[in-house]
Amino acid sequence: MSKKYDVYGIGNALVDIVTEVGDDFFEKYKIEKGLMTLVDEQRQFELVEAIHLPSSNLACGGSAANTVIAASQFGSNCFYSCKVANDDMGKFYLKDLRENGVDTNLTDGTAPEGITGKCLVMTTPDANRTMNTFLGITATYSTDQIDEDKLKDSSYLYIEGYLVTSENGQEAMKHAKKLAEKHGVKTALTFSDPSMVKYFKEPMEQVVGASVDLLFCNEEEAMLFTGKNNLLEAREELKKVAKKFAITQGANGAIIFDGDTFIDIEPYKVMAVDTNGAGDMFSGAFLYGITHGHSYAEAGKIASLASSKIVSKFGPRLEWHESKEVLNHLFD
């Protein structure tokens, strides 16, 4: 029996504030370049004021949100379980989700009082991206936000690694995974960021448990999680915790393990201007592929081409027509 949703995502709900800065900005405000750093509201306000918010781009974000929106734009039916507040940013977030074809557990009327989380995404001319995140109400994301009926009616549960930073987030990850296993729904997990594996390795291992059906990570995360110092050893070790996985390698493409063999996915050469959202796009395009009759090799090609389109423009999303162009280029 077919499921209503291809992907049921859980993760943080953050309004992305995307802007371009120079390295001098990081020096002046003592920001660690290239990483995601959690900050309080006052610190984020100080930085937003310094970069003049009106000139920046706003979009509903969070790692898993970017992924389910990407999957939706390619043609997947998606649900996103999240927590925003009943403030202007929260209303903007829910409207943006709806406009991108994604169902969610919240409405304007059911969103609680509080402050919606925001992520300041700072890109630099070298195409690097640095994030300073104020979680706001999404820091209290818990098992209460998970809709078992919608999850049961999905092909894949997709879990965002950033949830591991709080105990309630960890419980939500484990609870969702148990529900998925109970209802025969496959579980996909992304490590999200090297810092999640480096600083939260033990709780991340608890979430992974015996195994996940599909794991997304990059080279650094693969080596940090397995404790290996080269990719060949790391990918063999990952077989013990993931039935299938994808390791992204930036400009070098990706490695897919389809449960039997390793598949090298060639990169598409582009001039990178912004790496923000490349990994999220890869996951979303890949999930679309494997839930729409494509092989793992074909899904890898879709994901690689889509990611190359993302890094050659600002922001973590493609336009709808750009997603269709990716598929037309590969399969028409």
Side-chain angles (χ1 to χ4, degrees), residues 8-307:
Y8 180 107
I10 70 168
N12 287 312
L14 302 165
V15 174
D16 282 343
I17 305 164
V18 184
T19 192
E20 189 172 13
V21 298
D23 286 339
D24 56 337
F25 186 83
F26 296 141
E27 291 169 21
K28 181 177 180 181
Y29 290 96
K30 297 181 172 56
I31 298 167
E32 199 166 358
K33 184 179 176 180
L35 295 180
M36 191 286 288
T37 305
L38 292 175
V39 296
D40 61 24
E41 188 181 17
Q42 185 177 347
R43 168 65 167 169
Q44 193 181 65
F45 180 77
E46 174 194 5
L47 296 175
V48 168
E49 285 287 289
I51 59 167
H52 309 300
L53 176 59
S55 65
S56 303
N57 297 312
L58 294 181
C60 73
S63 174
N66 290 337
T67 291
V68 296
I69 287 171
S72 175
Q73 288 184 333
F74 274 99
S76 293
N77 292 323
C78 298
F79 189 96
Y80 191 51
S81 166
C82 61
K83 191 168 187 180
V84 295
N86 187 24
D87 56 7
D88 287 343
M89 286 291 192
K91 289 170 185 172
F92 166 81
Y93 194 96
L94 295 176
K95 179 173 178 283
D96 202 26
L97 269 186
R98 286 193 296 270
E99 288 177 352
N100 281 281
V102 177
D103 290 344
T104 184
N105 57 307
L106 290 176
T107 64
D108 291 343
T110 59
E113 293 297 314
I115 301 169
T116 297
K118 292 173 280 294
C119 179
L120 177 57
V121 182
M122 295 161 283
T123 62
T124 42
D126 61 0
N128 210 309
R129 66 105 168 91
T130 302
M131 297 182 290
N132 273 208
T133 303
F134 167 61
L135 290 173
I137 201 167
T138 197
T140 62
Y141 184 94
S142 70
T143 57
D144 293 341
Q145 276 67 60
I146 295 167
D147 186 323
E148 183 173 357
D149 288 337
K150 299 294 193 300
L151 174 53
K152 181 170 66 174
D153 205 11
S154 304
S155 296
Y156 271 88
L157 164 68
Y158 180 78
I159 303 174
E160 175 187 308
Y162 284 125
L163 287 174
V164 80
T165 59
S166 67
E167 284 189 17
N168 46 288
Q170 292 167 24
E171 287 307 309
M173 295 165 91
K174 289 186 271 194
H175 176 67
K177 187 167 180 272
K178 270 185 193 168
L179 289 178
E181 288 165 355
K182 171 184 169 185
H183 296 296
V185 176
K186 291 179 179 176
T187 298
L189 169 72
T190 173
F191 284 151
S192 294
D193 191 275
S195 59
M196 297 302 103
V197 183
K198 185 175 181 181
Y199 299 114
F200 299 94
K201 186 175 179 182
E202 190 175 324
M204 191 70 87
E205 286 173 339
Q206 290 174 12
V207 170
V208 171
S211 75
V212 292
D213 294 290
L214 178 59
L215 174 69
F216 293 98
C217 60
N218 62 27
E219 290 177 283
E220 185 180 359
E221 292 157 2
M223 289 188 282
L224 281 169
F225 187 78
T226 59
K228 303 298 181 182
N229 56 13
N230 70 73
L231 194 56
L232 287 176
E233 290 183 9
R235 72 184 197 177
E236 287 300 322
E237 198 69 17
L238 281 182
K239 289 180 182 178
K240 299 175 182 177
V241 295
K243 293 171 186 172
K244 300 172 183 181
F245 53 83
I247 305 173
T248 55
Q249 300 177 281
N252 295 319
I255 297 169
I256 308 290
F257 179 65
D258 68 359
D260 293 309
T261 57
F262 287 105
I263 305 162
D264 287 318
I265 303 298
E266 294 295 317
Y268 289 84
K269 299 296 183 186
V270 292
M271 180 65 73
V273 297
D274 175 18
T275 56
N276 178 40
D280 301 333
M281 173 56 68
F282 188 99
S283 300
F286 191 87
L287 284 165
Y288 160 77
I290 61 173
T291 56
H292 283 75
H294 291 285
S295 67
Y296 270 58
E298 289 172 341
K301 286 180 181 177
I302 298 169
S304 181
L305 182 54
S307 298

